[in-house]
Amino acid sequence: MEFKVVTPHGVTYNDTIEKVTVPTLAGALTILDQHAPIVSVLAAGEMVIHRMDGSTVDVAVSGGIMEIVSSGAVYIMADTAERAEEIDISRAEAAKKRAEELLTQQKNIADVDFARIQASIEKELARISIGKKYRKL
Amino acid sequence: MAVSSKAIKTRIKSVKNTKKITKAMELVSAAKMRKAVDATLQARLYATLAQQLMERLSELQEPNYPLFEQRPVKKILMILISSNRGLCGSFNGNVMKFGKRLLEDKKNLAAHRGPDGQSTPPGAGDIDVEVLGIGRKSAAFAKKNDLELIEVYDSLGDSPDIDDAIHISKNVTEKFKTGTYDKVVVLFTHFASSLTQTVKVRQLLPVAKAEVDKLLTEFPNKDHIGELAPDNRPIETYFLEPSRDAIFDIVIPRLIDVQVYQALLESAASEHSARMVAMKNASEAASEMIDALTLAFNKARQAAITQEIAEIAGGAAALE
């Protein structure tokens, strides 16, 4: 099936694939060929792409939208998307630590800030776990 | 000696140095312009997909979403994209001229436009315009036209990032939602080519379909999207997870982000290309000046030699 991951920074992935596992707000969803049309909201997490030759590619996404159109093509509109080999684990860990410190330091921060920091922690966690998986291979 | 040849020599040297600088600035601007144009094209597919999705979702029923709400316009926020630095030809001047013209016809600016071009005039009463500036030069515009300047973003750098755009669009969306402003427009320089740039105004909020269409048709390069699968199936048969409104909540702010991002990038590309052209002209003027000065220098030198010979000849004649 046709599969595209697009972000405002450009196209991260564009290929014909076998199946893909996508983190949505309702939990992880594995999409096979000929899936019914659906529009779903993505959560921050790992997306696992199974290529036609059986190998897999891990991509960290930080939220966005997935759309499957009637032809079965899958479009992911992600805010950010990074392939495992592009992730710098030490930087991701530093970013997560910074976010956690922010949370503990400011006890009386506004809800908006809290939600934002929470979201950035989730995003960094997804990046770290994908980055680690890739390094072990 | 009519003109001191030494003075001319120093002058030539200084013009040559200036030319080196303008030449370097020209090359740097050309590289930066290319980068901004590339980023514009990169964001295009995302914008196209998001827009198509929104369009199809709004087929379901007349969307009752706060960002679509068309209120009678009392207060307008104008986002003015200018540059931080000068030496870019008429780039800032054009933006300000255009802005001034808009201010002369506030009623027209305040009118809501429907999908087929008909416009609803605003209610009676005064229309207030405030400015959110991007780039340091925008402050001058607000001051000159006696407008309230609510904020200035002057640290976006040469190639604006999507995060900057998100920050700005969140800021104005919040102000629109709370009713501080009834309309938000953005004034930017559309990059048609490295030689032609035109200042344009686009409505950001409330979200209007016609405006989003414009965004997509005005991209400098259209064949960048590639093939998208056609989708004729009615949207009613789609699964919508978790709900249509939740999806709207994600897609519409993204569209606004992309619109702001696009305006920032196009203005950046225009700024750099305006600077490139200005610097090119400066380099050419410097070359001409060097030629003229070299000619003057040679003349002065020749005159000095002729005079010396005349003096020697005169001295020799006096001895005889």
Side-chain angles (χ1 to χ4, degrees):
Chain A
M1 62 186 178
E2 193 193 332
F3 181 71
K4 274 191 173 83
V5 181
V6 292
T7 69
H9 292 284
V11 180
T12 313
Y13 197 89
N14 182 10
D15 205 357
T16 307
I17 58 159
E18 192 200 336
K19 61 176 178 180
V20 60
T21 304
V22 185
T24 72
L25 282 185
L29 210 63
T30 298
I31 314 285
L32 293 167
D33 207 2
Q34 301 293 316
H35 194 285
I38 181 174
V39 180
S40 183
V41 179
L42 296 183
E46 313 173 31
M47 189 160 70
V48 185
I49 303 164
H50 295 260
R51 280 206 284 233
M52 290 312 250
D53 60 5
S55 61
T56 61
V57 179
D58 290 349
V59 176
V61 292
S62 64
I65 293 245
M66 174 182 68
E67 184 188 9
I68 301 176
V69 294
S70 50
S71 67
V74 180
Y75 299 130
I76 307 271
M77 281 163 261
D79 296 347
T80 64
E82 278 171 293
R83 292 170 70 153
E85 56 264 38
E86 290 165 358
I87 296 173
D88 183 340
I89 296 183
S90 53
R91 264 184 58 194
E93 258 166 4
K96 180 184 146 237
K97 216 170 149 193
R98 245 192 338 267
E100 280 170 349
E101 269 168 22
L102 267 177
L103 268 190
T104 48
Q105 267 173 19
Q106 297 167 324
K107 287 198 179 82
N108 47 357
I109 41 174
D111 287 351
V112 193
D113 287 340
F114 187 83
R116 216 191 55 231
I117 296 170
Q118 198 77 35
S120 87
I121 290 180
E122 268 170 32
K123 176 184 154 199
E124 296 305 334
L125 271 176
R127 293 180 69 205
I128 292 167
S129 99
I130 285 188
K132 279 192 174 151
K133 227 189 204 167
Y134 172 74
R135 295 293 186 282
K136 263 181 212 149
L137 285 176
Chain B
M1 220 180 347
V3 197
S4 147
S5 58
K6 188 163 183 297
I8 299 179
K9 218 172 174 176
T10 7
R11 188 80 207 283
I12 291 178
K13 223 176 180 173
S14 99
V15 174
K16 269 189 182 157
N17 281 336
T18 311
K19 191 186 159 190
K20 270 184 205 153
I21 295 171
T22 55
K23 190 86 199 160
M25 278 176 84
E26 182 191 331
L27 295 175
V28 169
S29 298
K32 281 179 181 165
M33 178 188 87
R34 229 166 294 138
K35 232 169 118 185
V37 172
D38 273 352
T40 317
L41 296 178
Q42 293 288 326
R44 178 161 166 55
L45 182 61
Y46 184 87
T48 313
L49 281 172
Q51 193 254 356
Q52 281 182 354
L53 182 61
M54 184 192 86
E55 209 169 279
R56 287 223 310 286
L57 286 175
S58 47
E59 279 167 20
L60 279 177
Q61 66 190 78
E62 196 47 42
N64 182 25
Y65 191 71
L67 298 182
F68 289 128
E69 193 192 346
Q70 299 198 341
R71 297 188 287 253
V73 176
K74 289 237 154 53
K75 220 166 168 191
I76 303 176
L77 180 66
M78 189 190 266
I79 304 178
L80 188 89
I81 307 183
S82 67
S83 72
N84 267 337
R85 271 167 291 174
L87 290 183
C88 47
S90 54
F91 174 76
N92 287 312
N94 286 342
V95 175
M96 289 179 197
K97 226 175 11 195
F98 193 87
K100 200 161 180 205
R101 234 183 18 241
L102 284 181
L103 290 176
E104 280 162 10
D105 192 5
K106 284 185 192 168
K107 281 252 184 298
N108 187 26
L109 186 63
H112 285 301
R113 272 172 197 78
D116 36 358
Q118 90 275 17
S119 67
T120 337
D126 267 351
I127 297 148
D128 214 3
V129 180
E130 293 186 356
V131 175
L132 186 146
I134 291 164
R136 241 164 263 158
K137 306 275 173 190
S138 56
F141 173 80
K143 208 169 173 189
K144 214 165 125 195
N145 294 294
D146 210 14
L147 300 172
E148 185 90 29
L149 184 68
I150 57 160
E151 258 171 286
V152 177
Y153 289 85
D154 63 350
S155 54
L156 295 189
D158 286 323
S159 40
D161 194 13
I162 181 81
D163 294 333
D164 300 325
I166 291 173
H167 190 79
I168 294 165
S169 73
K170 270 218 180 95
N171 187 350
V172 297
T173 307
E174 201 49 49
K175 289 192 166 85
F176 177 80
K177 266 190 193 155
T178 54
T180 317
Y181 300 104
D182 308 304
K183 189 169 187 171
V184 180
V185 295
V186 56
L187 213 71
F188 70 105
T189 313
H190 170 65
F191 180 83
S193 75
S194 51
L195 290 173
T196 31
Q197 294 108 31
T198 39
V199 183
K200 294 213 161 152
V201 64
R202 199 171 277 157
Q203 176 180 331
L204 210 57
L205 288 164
V207 176
K209 197 185 152 286
E211 294 290 325
V212 185
D213 282 346
K214 259 193 228 163
L215 162 85
L216 293 170
T217 49
E218 273 173 8
F219 275 110
N221 186 351
K222 276 190 195 147
D223 38 81
H224 194 76
I225 347 174
E227 276 301 301
L228 284 180
D231 201 359
N232 311 319
R233 215 180 138 123
I235 188 83
E236 287 85 4
T237 60
Y238 272 57
F239 290 111
L240 298 177
E241 258 185 7
S243 67
R244 189 192 70 140
D245 288 347
I247 291 165
F248 260 152
D249 271 345
I250 303 256
V251 175
I252 303 218
R254 298 295 186 283
L255 267 176
I256 299 167
D257 293 347
V258 174
Q259 280 195 65
V260 175
Y261 187 44
Q262 198 73 34
L264 285 178
L265 285 174
E266 287 212 27
S267 284
S270 302
E271 182 198 332
H272 293 312
S273 85
R275 181 167 292 127
M276 187 182 87
V277 172
M279 287 302 118
K280 200 171 173 196
N281 290 340
S283 300
E284 272 162 18
S287 296
E288 269 169 33
M289 207 168 182
I290 290 170
D291 285 349
L293 284 171
T294 313
L295 190 68
F297 172 74
N298 286 341
K299 270 187 186 159
R301 194 192 48 171
Q302 198 56 52
I305 293 169
T306 314
Q307 198 180 0
E308 260 174 53
I309 291 173
E311 274 165 15
I312 292 168
L319 284 176
E320 274 168 15

